[in-house]
Amino acid sequence: AWDQAFHQPPYQTPPKTPVWFIKPRNTHLANGGAIPFPAGETVQSGGTLAVIIGDTARKVPAAQVSRYLAGYALANDVSLPESSFYRPAIKAKCRDGFCPLGEIGQLETADRLEIVTEING
């Protein structure tokens, strides 16, 4: 189980901050597009908040982050099963079409956002 895995190397303890990962451009799938399921593989799906970066940036001070955001969208985090939460495998999360996105919009705050994933009801 994940909770037990956090007490093993390389973690030693559960995360104290959110665990971030990226979905590069090749994973983007327009709203309503068909997910390219790989033959013979099991995929996992989960709703998540996508932060859409609108411009190239590096070492941006926290107070200026909003200048680089295009907005937010609901995303379907499609991935292959992973054996580790530590540095998620590129081949598991970053396949073509593995990030269907909803409409891009703005949020005043994401602090109290609740996302529910239902599969087959």
Side-chain angles (χ1 to χ4, degrees), residues 88-121:
I90 297 294
K91 74 177 200 169
K93 290 203 166 289
C94 297
R95 292 190 177 203
D96 293 348
F98 266 25
C99 188
L101 287 179
E103 299 290 323
I104 297 175
Q106 302 301 317
L107 288 175
E108 284 188 32
T109 180
D111 293 346
R112 299 173 208 259
L113 187 64
E114 181 179 340
I115 299 172
V116 177
T117 301
E118 292 184 0
I119 299 175
N120 296 330

Side-chain angles (χ1 to χ4, degrees), residues 60-67:
V60 176
Q64 296 178 16
V65 166
S66 63
R67 296 180 189 178

Side-chain angles (χ1 to χ4, degrees), residues 22-110:
I22 65 165
K23 289 283 196 172
R25 288 183 180 136
N26 68 297
T27 65
H28 176 252
L29 186 63
N31 193 7
I35 299 168
F37 292 103
E41 303 244 31
T42 300
V43 295
Q44 296 174 326
S45 177
T48 190
L49 176 66
V51 179
I52 312 299
I53 309 298
D55 201 0
T56 302
R58 184 171 182 262
K59 296 184 178 183
V60 176
Q64 296 178 16
V65 166
S66 63
R67 296 180 189 178
Y68 295 89
L69 298 181
Y72 300 87
L74 285 175
N76 183 350
D77 174 21
V78 180
S79 65
L80 300 177
E82 299 173 73
S83 60
S84 173
F85 215 40
Y86 185 70
R87 296 183 182 157
I90 297 294
K91 74 177 200 169
K93 290 203 166 289
C94 297
R95 292 190 177 203
D96 293 348
F98 266 25
C99 188
L101 287 179
E103 299 290 323
I104 297 175
Q106 302 301 317
L107 288 175
E108 284 188 32
T109 180

